[in-house]
Amino acid sequence: MFKRIVEKFNRCMEEEQAARQANAALFANAAVFASDFLDAIEKGDMQTVDAFFNQKGVSPNDRLAQMGICTAAQSGHEKMIDLLLSKGVAADSPERAAGCKTAIDIARANGHEAIADKLQKAAGAKAKPSAAPNAP
């Protein structure tokens, strides 16, 4: 009886270890996926970014897509901004990783006024740059 309990316990431990390894692999793959997407945006690799939307399942509503438009705004990649806007990525959604600033705010902060104006226009006249955290 004791031997069966130990065997069952060992099987459970092995299954748990296998599940942990599978979860770690999934997390690592997700991190690589995000990194590859953002690297392509930063490099201005339009073809790769387009493939992420068309073949790899990135949605314009994903947080990853929002991080992407903020990255393009920071880097000053106007053609990449055009591509991301054409895919439906919002120009005026705050990105937590950027301190809750919008792509519009980020473009302006980095001296990319033409891009900020383009993003503002895409967001519509109702969009306003977010206030600085310690603004009155």
Side-chain angles (χ1 to χ4, degrees):
M1 172 98 164
F2 181 71
K3 183 178 178 181
R4 278 188 277 160
I5 293 172
V6 169
E7 288 172 354
K8 187 173 182 177
F9 175 79
N10 287 337
R11 273 195 312 273
C12 288
M13 293 302 291
E14 288 170 3
E15 290 171 6
E16 184 178 327
Q17 181 65 24
R20 283 184 186 161
Q21 288 173 343
N23 286 339
L26 286 174
F27 182 76
N29 287 338
V32 168
F33 182 87
S35 178
D36 289 349
F37 177 72
L38 295 174
D39 284 347
I41 287 176
E42 196 166 30
K43 292 174 184 172
D45 186 345
M46 308 276 287
Q47 189 173 17
T48 298
V49 172
D50 191 53
F52 270 92
F53 282 95
N54 295 334
Q55 300 165 5
K56 296 185 179 183
V58 172
S59 164
N61 301 321
D62 289 346
R63 181 164 179 234
L64 183 58
Q66 194 59 46
M67 290 173 68
I69 202 165
C70 289
T71 299
Q74 181 176 4
S75 300
H77 289 301
E78 191 167 357
K79 288 182 180 181
M80 186 61 68
I81 293 287
D82 291 339
L83 174 64
L84 294 170
L85 290 173
S86 77
K87 296 296 183 183
V89 180
D92 58 346
S93 292
E95 173 48 47
R96 291 182 303 219
C100 290
K101 295 183 190 273
T102 67
I104 299 165
D105 300 324
I106 292 168
R108 279 207 168 81
N110 286 279
H112 305 299
E113 289 299 321
I115 290 175
D117 291 344
K118 179 179 282 202
L119 290 165
Q120 185 78 43
K121 184 177 178 183
K126 66 181 179 6
K128 297 178 183 171
S130 61
N134 37 353

